Amino acid sequence: MNNSFARLIDGMNATLRSEVLTRLDDEFARGQVFGIINLLNTFKVRADWSSGFLLEQIVAQRSALEGAAALLQGRNDAPIGPIGDPPQAVPIADLLARRDEGNRAIGKVLAWVDANRATLVPPTAEQLDMLLRTAMRAEVGIELKNAPRPLFAEMSSGAEEPSP
């Protein structure tokens, strides 16, 4: 039977904590082990097997761009192209490319809105700003939610801090 990537990382971290840290007396060496644990925790949420946060970001972008397309319907000069189907299970490289494409599309729409603000009905410009900024905030929020708690205190002191 295969273990999940997260379970493998958790096992490595548990081994480092129980077998390596307990045998180290040097504060610097203990800090280095906590640095490795922190790095492994980052890998756990960002590795190829962890596509969930990319899918969340793409869904947030898609929602913003669909809303912008609806608000700008009939404007031939609007920079919104076809949005595409919702993502399915695809290779991580494709998800990264799709997320980056969504970021470029949002950037183009923001630049277009800024350049054409005078020709837009005020509520439309405000709604577009809100939609696109909501997607950008969602992306940052998803990144933060999927980032492990840094172990800076442990790395600098070589001692385990109590869990919150």
Side-chain angles (χ1 to χ4, degrees):
M1 172 165 70
N2 290 334
N3 282 316
S4 71
F5 188 71
R7 186 169 176 180
L8 292 171
I9 296 292
D10 289 341
M12 288 182 233
N13 286 340
T15 300
L16 287 169
R17 287 178 191 278
S18 65
E19 301 299 326
V20 177
L21 284 174
T22 58
R23 291 177 169 84
L24 291 176
D25 296 329
D26 183 66
E27 185 179 300
F28 177 77
R30 291 176 58 80
Q32 295 301 301
V33 172
F34 281 114
I36 292 168
I37 291 169
N38 193 62
L39 180 65
L40 287 170
N41 284 333
T42 300
F43 286 163
K44 181 169 76 172
V45 296
R46 297 197 177 267
D48 280 357
W49 294 358
S50 301
S51 61
F53 78 96
L54 284 172
L55 289 168
E56 288 180 61
Q57 290 174 333
I58 291 167
V59 167
Q61 291 171 342
R62 183 180 165 78
S63 175
L65 291 169
E66 285 175 345
L71 288 169
L72 296 173
Q73 194 169 14
R75 295 278 314 230
N76 293 333
D77 59 339
I80 298 177
I83 292 157
D85 296 328
Q88 303 299 318
V90 295
I92 196 82
D94 292 351
L95 289 176
L96 286 167
R98 192 163 186 168
R99 194 253 338 252
D100 294 345
E101 179 183 320
N103 281 333
R104 283 189 294 278
I106 286 172
K108 285 179 184 177
V109 175
L110 280 172
W112 182 88
V113 169
D114 191 47
N116 294 280
R117 194 169 295 276
T119 67
L120 292 170
V121 179
T124 301
E126 291 169 12
Q127 289 172 324
L128 286 165
D129 282 341
M130 184 184 72
L131 277 170
L132 300 173
R133 292 182 194 288
T134 297
M136 291 184 295
R137 284 186 193 103
E139 184 170 346
V140 171
I142 292 163
E143 290 279 342
L144 292 173
K145 180 180 84 174
N146 288 289
R149 183 182 75 83
L151 300 174
F152 298 133
E154 291 86 345
M155 285 186 266
S156 63
S157 71
E160 184 106 43
E161 296 289 319
S163 297

